[in-house]
Amino acid sequence: MLLTELLHPGILEALAGAGHGARVLLADGHYPASTAVGEHARTVHLNLSPGVLDVTTVLGVLLRALPVESAQVMVPPEDEPEPPAVAEHRSLLAPVTVDTLDRFAFYDAARSPDLALAIVTADVRTYANLLLTIGVRAEGTLTPR
């Protein structure tokens, strides 16, 4: 039995094989996951029912399991306001840098060969998509027993 709260075998396997600089996509329920992910990425579907398990919930668990170096969010055209999901991501990720990408630039970034894992959620909020870049573990973060 694991001592971590992250128990999903597919997610654990993909993260264990990913290293510094690899990326993780957290996709909302609108994301075209069959066509807009990197060819090497493992895709995990957590979209049981609309609204059941959102990007924010998955992000909270991942932030307790891996270091994040930087992040990118998908944003609407400039004449539209920033979606609430983006503000929520910024808050949870602070002080990590969160860059913005328009829809098609975000799709291109998610198709990167560095994408190790795509997690598809049932988030019904628009523009809730998030790309994380894995950082490095700080020295002394593993407590020997």
Side-chain angles (χ1 to χ4, degrees):
M1 179 52 66
L2 298 173
L3 296 176
T4 174
E5 67 182 299
L6 178 56
L7 299 176
H8 192 284
I11 294 173
L12 286 169
E13 179 183 19
L15 291 177
H20 177 231
R23 291 176 155 186
V24 176
L25 167 66
L26 301 181
D28 63 29
H30 311 286
Y31 194 85
S34 64
T35 60
V37 298
E39 63 184 81
H40 304 295
R42 174 171 191 148
T43 301
V44 172
H45 294 274
L46 299 179
N47 50 345
L48 176 65
S49 178
V52 178
L53 201 54
D54 62 16
V55 170
T56 303
T57 302
V58 175
L59 176 60
V61 173
L62 289 181
L63 288 175
R64 292 185 290 277
L66 61 91
V68 175
E69 180 176 285
S70 63
Q72 297 170 310
V73 291
M74 180 191 291
V75 293
E78 289 183 24
D79 59 334
E80 295 182 32
E82 183 173 270
V86 172
E88 193 170 83
H89 297 337
R90 287 183 196 284
S91 175
L92 287 171
L93 286 161
V96 171
T97 301
V98 179
D99 295 319
T100 60
L101 296 173
D102 70 34
R103 183 173 140 208
F104 295 105
F106 189 94
Y107 291 160
D108 287 343
R111 288 185 182 106
S112 163
D114 292 337
L115 188 72
L117 174 63
I119 302 173
V120 182
T121 72
D123 204 326
V124 295
R125 298 174 297 173
T126 57
Y127 296 97
N129 303 300
L130 178 64
L131 267 173
L132 305 174
T133 301
I134 298 174
V136 295
R137 180 194 304 244
E139 287 189 45
T141 57
L142 181 60
T143 307
R145 292 197 178 247

